[in-house]
Amino acid sequence: MITWVALKFNFMPPSVYPVSETTPGFLAGWLGTGGAWQALLFSILNLIIAVVLYLPFVLLHDYFEDIREEGASNEN
């Protein structure tokens, strides 16, 4: 959604150059726009937002894994 808004209001140019499928996600937009710094900025912003959104779930998973491991070690 952030990238769509940036493209809609011309905050960054659209990607016009082909980019390899193995290019890291945050670099694909920058390379595809021919090196527009705005694309790199929005890619990094999207990466930061994704980390912030996923981090609580990863921490919750780690918490429950610790509880499960403690329960398994107490049974022995």
Side-chain angles (χ1 to χ4, degrees), residues 22-30 43:
T22 59
T23 303
F26 69 95
L27 289 177
W30 179 66
S43 294

Side-chain angles (χ1 to χ4, degrees), residues 3 5 7 9-10 12 16 25-26 29-30 33 35 38-40 43 47-48 51 65:
T3 303
V5 169
L7 288 169
F9 292 107
N10 295 322
M12 69 180 211
V16 294
F26 69 95
W30 179 66
T33 59
Q38 300 95 333
L40 182 62
S43 294
L47 180 63
I48 291 169
V51 168
E65 282 294 312

